[in-house]
Amino acid sequence: MSDDIKVKILVCDDDLTARILMKETLASDSIEVIEAENGQRAIEQFEKHSPALLLLDVSMPKMNGFEVCEHIRGHEKGKHIPVIMVTGSDDLESIHKSYAVGATDFIAKPIKWPILGERVKYILRASQAFADLVTQQQELHQLAFYDSLTGLPNRQYLMQDLQRFLAMAERNNYQAAMLFIDLDRFKRINDTMGHSYGDKLLRKVAHRLQANLRDSDTFARVGSEQSSQEPQLSSFGGDEFTIFLSRLNDPNEAMLVAERVIRSFSTPFQLEQFEVVVTPSIGISMFPNDGDNAETLLKNADTAMYFAKQSGRCCYKFYQDSMNAKAAARLQLEQDLRRALKSDEIVPFYQPQICAQSGRIVGVEALVRWLPAKGGIIPPDEFIPIAEETGLINELGRLVLERGCYQAKQWFDEGNPVRMAINVSAHQFRQLDFTQVVADVLQQCGLAPELLELELTESVIMSDAEENIARLIELKALGVSLAVDDFGTGYSSLSYLKRFPIDILKIDRSFMCDVNSAPDDLAIVEAILALAESLKLGVIAEGIEYGSQIAILKNTNQLLLQGYLFSRPVAAEYISPLLNQDFNHLMPAL
């Protein structure tokens, strides 16, 4: 056995003969005996070698055994090391004093050497068992109170200590703050790059947050025994973090920390060969105004964070009482939406698409509407974001796809072959079985694929261009048409655009609304028309409200027009009478 893995035993006795006998008795292939001739030397040898067991003579020069034992027990490395006191006295007073200073056991002289060897082996074995138990407890504590990904204290650790910190703040009459941080659109990292890159990013985020904290901040990821004045980094799991700020004079100090955190994210994160930009949304609650206990303070910070996301992300919001009422209303809306999806309250309305050459309706766009049973209408911009955040968007999208295709089949059977345009959300498009879902719906509705058009926004198809090209080719193979919605508002690369198997570009209504008065919008529209012509793509112009807008689009091939000039989005029964109508009278000569 090599020397570097031998168990070390420190023998301390001012009697050379005793030390020699102890060494001969205890030394073996697995045990190395280290000697010390007095108490001071014993401490030096202990600090140098970190032995697994000590044998201390009671009566020694410079420091006696009791003093040495007491010193070692006060040392960080000596709290649990077995210490055997060797004494010529076996009176009760010596025994009591040995245990009082922290000795594990004692042996009275004269020593019975064979028994000493066995006794030491037993104590070493017991000590190892104790060390294993301590290690297991440490591992269990690590699992229970620390995030396995970042190594930061987790929510349980935070909640355990937070009430103590708040009680201290209350006693000393100072403020504290909870910052709840959520990474904006973090899911796209996992979706596009894989979970391993997502994990690497979270570790880097934790490190950067920690580096930007003040010494008096306590940080927690919503996933060391420390005082309330020391930094504490913790985690809630996923992409949520919290920072607890203690001993504040006013809310401005919390604001400065939030601003510093946001600035720290301006530098991209390097993930191997990739540079990734991610931003934080931060909610702030103040103690004691926004909560006098840990749960309330954390809940209100979380609520404020949600409003930061609603305000455009990459910003911070302080909690306000009115937020809870709004959050409760949002939760109610989510519950109502789940019920509405099962009770026929979610219905498609349809807006006609007019062929600029014939003046006839050749297609319609299905636009979802929520008509509650109690009356009224809930706008899409109120419930679509909730559907996306909760995952209900997939169920909602499937519902609109099915009903739209059934309606198109009904019109076809009535002698009106109208192409049905269905909007596809980013969540739907990223589903691995989305192509199969479309195929199944077409089959169950009996609708010819050429009568279905799928509309995807420019930002969705460009989010992972190479993978999305393959997905679009799959969809195109079904025989459906593909349109790029809101074109001009995203960041299309022309080199990719010409590789996408798309059929139609939809000019975003924001450009058409001011096309007659805004030179920049006119320039963009003309550029889109030229691009469509060069790529031999059809064009749909949205937001048509006046004939003068149409004049801008003259000489455009395969042009469809959509807007209030012809019809608002309406229920299916109002479309049927329009299908045979001629809209040429609304359009100037092209």
Side-chain angles (χ1 to χ4, degrees), residues 2 114 116 124 182 185 218 246 311 328 384 404 448 450 466 489 510 519 553 565 578:
S2 60
L116 174 64
L124 283 173
D182 185 90
R185 298 186 179 94
T218 300
S246 60
S311 299
I384 293 295
E450 58 267 22
E466 288 293 344
T489 62
S510 63
L553 306 170
L565 178 64
L578 302 177

Side-chain angles (χ1 to χ4, degrees), residues 218-270:
T218 300
F219 170 71
R221 174 176 177 249
V222 188
S224 69
E225 292 294 327
Q226 296 171 319
S227 74
S228 62
Q229 296 182 356
E230 293 178 334
Q232 174 188 311
L233 191 59
S234 316
S235 158
F236 267 35
D239 60 339
E240 294 177 332
F241 299 80
T242 65
I243 300 176
F244 178 73
L245 308 175
S246 60
R247 304 182 70 92
L248 300 182
N249 295 314
D250 61 65
N252 284 334
E253 296 181 40
M255 178 187 70
L256 292 175
V257 173
E259 290 176 346
R260 184 161 65 248
V261 168
I262 291 173
R263 284 198 304 271
S264 74
F265 278 73
S266 62
T267 303
F269 292 87
Q270 191 70 39

Side-chain angles (χ1 to χ4, degrees), residues 52-329:
L53 182 144
L54 286 78
L55 287 124
L56 297 177
D57 186 22
V58 169
S59 300
M60 293 185 297
K62 297 189 178 180
M63 289 179 74
N64 63 39
F66 297 131
E67 293 171 329
V68 174
C69 182
E70 192 169 21
H71 178 89
I72 286 174
R73 285 293 183 242
H75 195 285
E76 181 64 30
K77 296 189 295 183
K79 291 180 178 179
H80 304 298
I81 292 176
V83 177
I84 301 174
M85 303 299 293
V86 181
T87 176
S89 305
D90 58 0
D91 58 282
L92 285 175
E93 183 180 352
S94 297
I95 295 172
H96 289 159
K97 191 169 182 180
S98 295
Y99 289 132
V101 296
T104 308
D105 200 357
F106 76 95
I107 296 176
K109 293 180 179 180
I111 297 173
K112 296 180 180 178
W113 299 107
I115 294 177
L116 174 64
E118 295 302 316
R119 201 162 181 173
V120 166
K121 289 179 183 178
Y122 170 77
I123 292 175
L124 283 173
R125 188 162 60 246
S127 176
Q128 184 60 49
F130 177 77
D132 291 342
L133 180 60
V134 169
T135 300
Q136 289 176 359
Q137 290 176 333
Q138 291 172 341
E139 290 173 350
L140 289 174
H141 183 271
Q142 184 76 18
L143 290 171
F145 293 102
Y146 289 82
D147 176 51
S148 59
L149 179 61
T150 62
L152 306 178
N154 59 17
R155 174 175 183 149
Q156 187 171 350
Y157 186 104
L158 173 68
M159 300 307 290
Q160 175 181 269
D161 276 5
L162 191 54
Q163 201 58 48
R164 176 168 59 87
F165 295 152
L166 295 179
M168 188 177 302
E170 185 174 16
R171 283 196 305 271
N172 292 281
N173 195 31
Y174 55 73
Q175 298 182 62
M178 176 66 73
L179 278 65
F180 196 105
I181 303 170
D182 185 90
L183 303 184
D184 299 327
R185 298 186 179 94
F186 174 75
K187 186 176 182 296
R188 67 186 174 86
I189 302 297
N190 285 334
D191 290 344
T192 59
M193 301 180 69
H195 287 274
S196 62
Y197 281 97
D199 290 347
K200 291 176 183 176
L201 178 59
L202 289 175
R203 284 191 286 267
K204 287 182 176 288
V205 166
H207 178 76
R208 186 173 295 183
L209 285 171
Q210 188 177 27
N212 278 276
L213 292 178
R214 310 181 306 169
D215 288 343
S216 60
D217 298 342
T218 300
F219 170 71
R221 174 176 177 249
V222 188
S224 69
E225 292 294 327
Q226 296 171 319
S227 74
S228 62
Q229 296 182 356
E230 293 178 334
Q232 174 188 311
L233 191 59
S234 316
S235 158
F236 267 35
D239 60 339
E240 294 177 332
F241 299 80
T242 65
I243 300 176
F244 178 73
L245 308 175
S246 60
R247 304 182 70 92
L248 300 182
N249 295 314
D250 61 65
N252 284 334
E253 296 181 40
M255 178 187 70
L256 292 175
V257 173
E259 290 176 346
R260 184 161 65 248
V261 168
I262 291 173
R263 284 198 304 271
S264 74
F265 278 73
S266 62
T267 303
F269 292 87
Q270 191 70 39
L271 300 180
E272 296 181 6
Q273 72 271 34
F274 303 106
E275 282 192 346
V276 175
V277 176
V278 64
T279 58
S281 291
I282 306 174
I284 307 172
S285 61
M286 298 297 300
F287 172 87
N289 292 341
D290 300 331
D292 58 2
N293 61 72
E295 285 289 352
T296 303
L297 201 64
L298 187 61
K299 177 179 73 71
N300 289 340
D302 188 6
T303 299
M305 181 277 295
Y306 170 75
F307 280 86
K309 283 189 175 294
Q310 279 194 324
S311 299
R313 299 181 170 88
C314 194
C315 64
Y316 63 87
K317 290 290 181 183
F318 279 90
Y319 172 78
Q320 299 175 6
D321 289 337
S322 60
M323 289 180 176
N324 268 338
K326 293 179 181 177

